[in-house]
Amino acid sequence: MQDLIVTLDGPAGSGKSTVARVLAQRLGLEFLDTGAMYRGITAMAIARGVDVHTETHLVNELVRHCEIGFDWATDPPRLHVRGQDLTGRLRDDDVTGGVSAVARLPAVREVMVREQQRIGREHPRLVTEGRDQGSVVFPGAAAKFFLEASPAVRAQRRADQMRAAGRRVDVERIREQITARDAADASRSVAPLICPEDAERIDTSEMQLDEVLDLLTARVRALP
Ligand code: C5P
């Protein structure tokens, strides 16, 4: 079967995780959540007592020796760092609060990009989502999308997800976190959050999940 890499980039809470996962199911492709990898490194560093905001040398050291990967037999794939399943920790507040500080480190990005490209070679029929998938990791992808939505809509969606998972929610705080993460991700010097020139930019603020999925499915099915 022909290789088919589809990239979905965009800011926090733009809906790309859900869209990417369901799009992959619809198209019979695998799904790669690259944010989970940055979150996994952050969770591992915190577990070792590292302050990810100040002790960057320790994060750099850790990432050099970390084995990170997914268990592709589970759906969605579970994340293992150094043999430890950290999936349950990835969305915790301390990890969300520290992940942008970890993701801006060039040494971390170098390892993550290499690992993601390796995953792409091993799973060449893939929907992958993140911040730099179309711009840096898979510049030759067959289809590239950039999803965005207003900060208020994104905060509300994240809050709904958390409520559905039985967590307590403060929408205003989520909105502040999202805005802070946007600013950090868009202003870093290595692989900042940008819309690749050859990506289709889609504002999902006024769209239902199904509408976004139908649009993307049609675009990918129409590829030569
Ligand atoms: O997508 P998610 O919210 O899980 O991503 C968490 C964080 O990981 C982002 O805020 C960003 O700092 C970082 N990230 C990144 N590059 C990616 C995916 C995520 O820098 N490809």
Side-chain angles (χ1 to χ4, degrees):
M1 238 192 284
Q2 205 185 330
D3 291 1
L4 177 57
I5 303 268
V6 178
T7 63
L8 252 76
D9 290 301
S14 57
K16 56 187 190 334
S17 303
T18 312
V19 170
R21 190 162 36 78
V22 183
L23 182 69
Q25 279 166 1
R26 278 196 184 183
L27 295 169
L29 305 176
E30 283 176 295
F31 160 58
L32 174 61
D33 173 358
T34 62
M37 297 172 74
Y38 289 95
R39 287 172 183 271
I41 300 296
T42 309
M44 183 183 68
I46 293 172
R48 285 167 186 250
V50 174
D51 179 336
V52 297
H53 295 280
T54 55
E55 298 178 313
T56 51
H57 60 291
L58 294 179
V59 180
N60 286 340
E61 189 57 32
L62 267 177
V63 78
R64 248 200 298 276
H65 302 290
C66 89
E67 289 151 32
I68 184 162
F70 291 94
D71 176 0
W72 294 93
T74 55
D75 183 23
R78 296 186 71 82
L79 182 81
H80 295 257
V81 186
R82 287 189 171 168
Q84 217 187 329
D85 184 343
L86 292 179
T87 314
R89 277 280 285 136
L90 303 182
R91 306 268 148 203
D92 288 348
D93 251 9
D94 55 342
V95 174
T96 300
V99 65
S100 287
V102 169
R104 74 181 161 73
L105 302 175
V108 171
R109 300 208 73 84
E110 197 185 306
V111 174
M112 293 298 106
V113 169
R114 201 173 57 220
E115 282 303 301
Q116 289 158 19
Q117 290 174 334
R118 182 184 60 75
I119 291 171
R121 282 192 297 277
E122 287 174 8
H123 303 267
R125 291 178 58 77
L126 191 69
V127 178
T128 176
E129 64 106 338
R131 305 291 187 287
D132 59 350
Q133 298 301 287
S135 57
V136 174
V137 183
F138 299 107
K144 299 183 184 179
F145 301 101
F146 189 84
L147 298 193
E148 51 194 359
S150 70
V153 168
R154 292 191 278 130
Q156 193 56 54
R157 284 181 186 159
R158 199 33 72 90
D160 292 345
Q161 267 176 358
M162 289 170 69
R163 262 194 215 103
R167 299 172 69 156
R168 278 188 340 152
V169 170
D170 174 346
V171 183
E172 198 38 50
R173 196 167 124 67
I174 295 176
R175 189 181 166 147
E176 281 166 19
Q177 283 174 341
I178 280 182
T179 311
R181 218 140 52 87
D182 282 356
D185 291 345
S187 65
R188 68 180 173 225
S189 54
V190 186
L193 171 68
I194 49 153
C195 175
E197 260 178 34
D198 50 351
E200 180 172 0
R201 190 188 275 268
I202 301 169
D203 186 337
T204 68
S205 302
E206 306 285 326
M207 294 171 82
Q208 297 296 318
L209 176 63
D210 271 348
E211 290 178 82
V212 182
L213 281 164
D214 289 348
L215 177 67
L216 267 53
T217 307
R219 291 284 197 270
V220 176
R221 290 209 167 122
L223 287 172

